[in-house]
Amino acid sequence: AQTVTQSQPEMSVQEAETVTLSCTYDTSESDYYLFWYKQPPSRQMILVIRQEAYKQQNATENRFSVNFQKAAKSFSLKISDSQLGDAAMYFCAYRRSQGAQKLVFGQGTRLTINP
Amino acid sequence: GAVVSQHPSRVICKSGTSVKIECRSLDFQATTMFWYRQFPKKSLMLMATSNEGSKATYEQGVEKDKFLINHASLTLSTLTVTSAHPEDSSFYICSAAILGRAQGRNTIYFGEGSWLTVV
């Protein structure tokens, strides 16, 4: 079974600084998708960024970028120029490419932005 | 963009009663919907996969008779917590995948979630 591990329960960063959230996963599949979701206090799940495993290029979305290391099964999220609105729980998630579309989530990292 | 709506957002019920939570895809058809449970300060735990017109597939450890899932149409899935107990109190959230795109490009959208409190 696939597993996703986030080893940082909490992280904090100064506003305007850069922070990196870690995620590792375990799978025997070669084709899959990886995601970072943000969950603010409202509890709404918001997709931050997505990476397709067959793509070598790291995904980027404005201030958010990932460092995808397929061989190491690592998928970290970098947030640049941190803003107060970035404060939330961040979940790393895995989904197989074929078959069931269910997401497997990591334990989450609570990110605090210090003004 | 695609929207998934859950109702009710908050519900309080008495112990021993049943409560139903609805998950609707408002502007797309979803052949598959997923139900998650989230304990305080914890991650999302998949409870079951709901397929339109067929029985739901439950994850290991989830009681099928307690958490009844019905997916009667391409836009509606319901989760019924039967004979609710205080330990069933939790945040329940559904998600749905857009039908029609290549499977590999499916995007999953989440509902707003439902707080259940059993007293």
Side-chain angles (χ1 to χ4, degrees):
Chain A
Q2 295 83 16
T3 59
V4 178
T5 302
Q6 292 177 249
S7 58
Q8 306 156 315
E10 297 183 350
M11 291 283 285
S12 63
V13 64
Q14 289 295 126
E15 191 176 4
E17 297 292 306
T18 296
V19 64
T20 298
L21 308 184
S22 301
C23 173
T24 59
Y25 58 95
D26 188 26
T27 183
S28 59
E29 306 276 336
S30 60
D31 196 14
Y32 47 86
Y33 298 87
L34 296 166
F35 307 84
W36 278 97
Y37 280 90
K38 170 184 177 180
Q39 188 181 45
S42 68
R43 293 283 187 135
Q44 176 70 54
M45 295 292 285
I46 301 168
L47 177 63
V48 175
I49 200 165
R50 141 193 189 146
Q51 175 78 43
E52 292 147 320
Y54 66 86
K55 290 186 176 180
Q56 292 184 341
Q57 187 173 6
N58 289 325
T60 62
E61 287 288 343
N62 300 314
R63 297 183 295 107
F64 300 87
S65 62
V66 298
N67 183 3
F68 173 47
Q69 301 291 325
K70 191 172 184 179
K73 295 180 181 176
S74 171
F75 182 61
S76 61
L77 173 69
K78 186 172 80 171
I79 305 174
S80 304
D81 185 25
S82 298
Q83 300 176 0
L84 294 178
D86 294 334
M89 281 290 289
Y90 285 82
F91 293 100
C92 178
Y94 166 99
R95 178 169 76 78
R96 292 175 59 196
S97 174
Q98 299 297 326
Q101 299 159 19
K102 63 183 181 182
L103 290 166
V104 178
F105 287 93
Q107 303 90 326
T109 297
R110 180 170 299 282
L111 178 63
T112 301
I113 311 296
N114 300 314
Chain B
V3 177
V4 175
S5 177
Q6 263 185 260
H7 178 80
S9 58
R10 289 182 180 273
V11 58
I12 300 173
C13 70
K14 291 184 177 181
S15 185
T17 63
S18 296
V19 60
K20 181 185 290 186
I21 300 170
E22 293 185 345
C23 179
R24 292 181 183 273
S25 55
L26 297 184
D27 54 359
F28 66 97
Q29 294 180 321
T31 53
T32 305
M33 291 184 174
F34 305 89
W35 286 96
Y36 293 86
R37 180 174 181 176
Q38 187 177 28
F39 292 99
K41 299 184 179 181
K42 297 292 185 182
S43 186
L44 280 72
M45 179 191 76
L46 180 65
M47 300 174 65
T49 301
S50 169
N51 296 297
E52 186 266 338
S54 64
K55 291 184 178 181
T57 302
Y58 289 82
E59 295 298 303
Q60 190 173 9
V62 177
E63 298 177 61
K64 301 178 182 181
D65 295 333
K66 179 163 194 61
F67 298 100
L68 300 179
I69 291 173
N70 182 272
H71 195 156
S73 75
L74 286 172
T75 59
L76 174 65
S77 177
T78 59
L79 166 67
T80 301
V81 183
T82 63
S83 187
H85 290 282
E87 55 264 32
D88 298 326
S89 298
S90 191
F91 186 69
Y92 294 88
I93 188 166
C94 71
S95 68
I98 289 184
L99 172 70
R101 297 183 180 179
Q103 186 173 5
R105 295 293 298 173
N106 274 353
T107 299
I108 297 176
Y109 295 91
F110 284 86
E112 311 96 324
S114 300
W115 282 103
L116 169 63
T117 302
V118 184
V119 298

